[in-house]
Amino acid sequence: MDARLRHAGLTAIRDKLDAGIRLSFDDGVQLFACDDLQAIGWLANREREKRHAGRTYYNYNLRLEATNVCVATCLFCSFSRLEPGAPQAYTMSLEEAWDKLRSRANQPLTEVHVVNGLHPDLPFSYYTELLQGLKVIRPEVHLKCFTAVEIAFFADLYGKTDEQVLRELMEAGLDSLPGGGAEVFAERVRRKICHDKCGADRYLDIHRIAHRLGMRSNVTMLYGHIETMEERVDHMLRCRALQDETGGFQAFIPLAFHPENNQMRKLPPPTGTDTLKVHAVARLMLDNIPHVKAFWIATGLDLAQLALWYGADDLDGTVQEEKIYHMAGSNTPEAMTTAGIARLVRAAGREPLERDTLYNIVNVPQVVENQGVSVGL
Ligand code: V47
């Protein structure tokens, strides 16, 4: 690999990584500009294996998107509907939302992941009661709910501070925050694709507060639309800077842009090479965030497997009932079983481990000879 790294102009970056020296903004831009995907992947895989060897994490989770009514007009979104009565707009009653969990009483779920549109008319009690009810149904299940964008929206709509909203939701059962809503932090991009939702500084501040209150969270980056390579690196460095302060991010999740049924449908989707490169560069730049997640719904199953050799060590989970990507043209399955994910991971030459939201191992799937993988659930 030495000759290859030299040829790709990556020896200085390799040397920095060897010496434990942080990569700079310019290093990040250079990595994105480099055409030798194998060389970048080799470096990223080395960092991945230093942290996790071949271990690859996933969880048994459920998506709950209780409403798609949303006052924000993000150009990339195929899920939201502006008005409550618009075609395909929906808002679940609390009973309907709780039923989603009740009807899975037989599933050994460890997480419910809730993301909603920014609904202008629901009372705050809808969200607190939603959480309380989910906890009554399954007290042991971790509730990872509401993006920082939703938290900011609640604060503005209900006249509370961001911290008050977080505290009241925690009181009702909130355990951690998902990473959605980050998109690309650069002001230029936000002004164009998501001008009417909370800005980068507030997004990061809400995660800062959540971490101070004792919660963990994830952070995402929506890539493959109008952002420049410099803006991607800037985004990663802002995540890294907050992580230096708080240590509260668990995973960085690159989200591949899906162009169907939204206002940016003229753009092509990101290529496979770009997807692998984004995961790899994230692993190299984000030396302080433990996990890089290849969200299989967004990447597709084949690329998710490959990404496990390009810096990623996590695949998200069984998901179930995902709407945001499927309405934007994702042709991945709507759900995976834990056995299916374990099989996928093993087929990629990696070691599957079922985790809970906080990365405690809950199941080590056993290989059953001639039958692929059994998860013993
Ligand atoms: O914030 C919306 C993205 C996000 C499109 O925290 C789109 O564990 C691509 O945040 N094409 C929501 N992306 C999903 C999300 C997430 C996913 C997996 C795990 C976690 C976690 C969080 O989906 C939104 C937005 O960035 N999105 N529309 C689209 N057309």
Side-chain angles (χ1 to χ4, degrees), residues 63 76-78 113 115 144 147 177-183 197 218 220 222 253 255-259 262 293 295 316 324-325 328:
R63 275 308 150 108
F76 54 80
C77 188
S78 319
H113 176 161
V115 192
K144 183 179 78 178
T147 65
L177 295 186
E183 322 315 355
K197 70 184 190 191
N218 293 330
T220 57
L222 178 71
I253 313 165
L255 295 172
F257 169 59
H258 282 247
N262 59 54
K293 189 188 280 192
F295 181 42
D316 200 81
I324 297 174
Y325 282 85

Side-chain angles (χ1 to χ4, degrees), residues 312-328:
D313 62 279
D314 190 291
L315 290 174
D316 200 81
T318 52
V319 182
Q320 312 184 76
E321 302 227 5
E322 198 285 327
K323 293 191 181 67
I324 297 174
Y325 282 85
H326 287 92
M327 288 170 86

